[in-house]
Amino acid sequence: MSALYRLKGLQYSYLWNKQQVPVLKGIDLELESGCFACIVGPSGTGKTTLLNLLGLIDSPSQGQIEFAGQDVTTLEEKHKEDLRLHKVGFIFQAFYLIPTLTVIENTSYFLPSLGYSTGDAHKTAMETLDLLGLADHANKKPLELSGGQRQRVAIARAIAKKPAVVLADEPTANLDSVTAEKTINAFKELQRSANTSFIFSTHDSHLVSFAKSVYRMKDGQIEKGS
Ligand SMILES: Nc1ncnc2c1ncn2[C@@H]1O[C@H](COP(=O)(O)OP(=O)(O)OP(=O)(O)O)[C@@H](O)[C@H]1O
Ligand SMILES: [Mg+2]
């Protein structure tokens, strides 16, 4: 298998109160294409920060990120946007659904920009919602849903476009065990059918039990768990 990500000496600091606060302190990591990997570790250790770098949302303070064989560390913003649209599905910890759009409109949001016709976008979004047990809620707005339902809409939006990689920040945090299982099965199915890679940040031991690789974050560094 080829490397999806190669991280070399990756560092990231937040600017807070006019001071640089180091969070990631030199991460060297290779993640394979087609991986199902979990990043674990206590709250505040930098898991979300790392996913934001992998998703090309933030840029590293030091070090290098290679994505699908390309050095993306200093890529121009418009090229990053293009890579994000075509290759990355991001499930944010805070969902970031668009409140004025319905569930199906949120789910199909990126598909027209990827060349889907209106009909195909609708069909794909509906199939994805069905897979996640949300078909009956397609015409509701996010505020009319429970927290776990909102989380699954965010998941549906990320996986509907069958990206090369799904970066998922605590994707099962608001789900009961049956719904979580269904969601994990949907991830596994996409991994199998489209060779989509999955990288999770999670505190959920059930999700971790499905991972092929587990990376533990500690003191701004990463140590391979198993
Ligand atoms: N915008 C910001 N400005 C300053 N500091 C920040 C900012 N965002 C995060 N941090 C700090 O960076 C550290 C890592 O945060 P991060 O969100 O990556 O943690 P996490 O491992 O995802 O935690 P959790 O498990 O609670 O989601 C924390 O100490 C946090 O306070
Ligand atoms: Mg987090």
Side-chain angles (χ1 to χ4, degrees), residues 48 93 169-170 201:
T48 296
Q93 201 164 11
D169 204 354
E170 317 244 2
S201 139

mmCIF file of all heavy atoms in Angstrom, residues 48 93 169-170 201, ligand 2:
data_model
loop_
_atom_site.group_PDB
_atom_site.id
_atom_site.type_symbol
_atom_site.label_atom_id
_atom_site.label_comp_id
_atom_site.label_asym_id
_atom_site.label_seq_id
_atom_site.Cartn_x
_atom_site.Cartn_y
_atom_site.Cartn_z
ATOM 1 N N THR A 48 -7.673 17.333 17.550
ATOM 2 C CA THR A 48 -8.377 18.186 16.583
ATOM 3 C C THR A 48 -7.387 19.048 15.808
ATOM 4 O O THR A 48 -7.502 19.223 14.594
ATOM 5 C CB THR A 48 -9.413 19.077 17.311
ATOM 6 O OG1 THR A 48 -10.404 18.225 17.890
ATOM 7 C CG2 THR A 48 -10.086 20.054 16.377
ATOM 8 N N GLN A 93 -15.938 18.279 14.845
ATOM 9 C CA GLN A 93 -16.437 18.024 16.199
ATOM 10 C C GLN A 93 -17.710 18.853 16.448
ATOM 11 O O GLN A 93 -18.604 18.420 17.145
ATOM 12 C CB GLN A 93 -15.324 18.392 17.203
ATOM 13 C CG GLN A 93 -15.451 17.752 18.548
ATOM 14 C CD GLN A 93 -14.142 17.819 19.363
ATOM 15 O OE1 GLN A 93 -13.196 18.514 19.013
ATOM 16 N NE2 GLN A 93 -14.113 17.093 20.468
ATOM 17 N N ASP A 169 -13.701 13.928 13.392
ATOM 18 C CA ASP A 169 -13.361 14.357 14.749
ATOM 19 C C ASP A 169 -14.446 13.887 15.708
ATOM 20 O O ASP A 169 -15.534 14.466 15.738
ATOM 21 C CB ASP A 169 -13.234 15.887 14.760
ATOM 22 C CG ASP A 169 -12.360 16.356 15.897
ATOM 23 O OD1 ASP A 169 -11.951 15.521 16.721
ATOM 24 O OD2 ASP A 169 -12.081 17.577 15.948
ATOM 25 N N GLU A 170 -14.197 12.823 16.426
ATOM 26 C CA GLU A 170 -15.134 12.243 17.393
ATOM 27 C C GLU A 170 -16.495 11.955 16.740
ATOM 28 O O GLU A 170 -17.529 12.436 17.227
ATOM 29 C CB GLU A 170 -15.326 13.193 18.576
ATOM 30 C CG GLU A 170 -14.020 13.800 19.048
ATOM 31 C CD GLU A 170 -13.634 13.395 20.442
ATOM 32 O OE1 GLU A 170 -14.369 12.594 21.055
ATOM 33 O OE2 GLU A 170 -12.591 13.845 20.895
ATOM 34 N N SER A 201 -10.372 10.967 15.229
ATOM 35 C CA SER A 201 -9.982 11.308 16.588
ATOM 36 C C SER A 201 -11.129 10.800 17.448
ATOM 37 O O SER A 201 -12.299 11.036 17.120
ATOM 38 C CB SER A 201 -9.856 12.822 16.705
ATOM 39 O OG SER A 201 -10.390 13.251 17.925
HETATM 40 MG MG MG B 2 -10.874 17.583 19.756
#
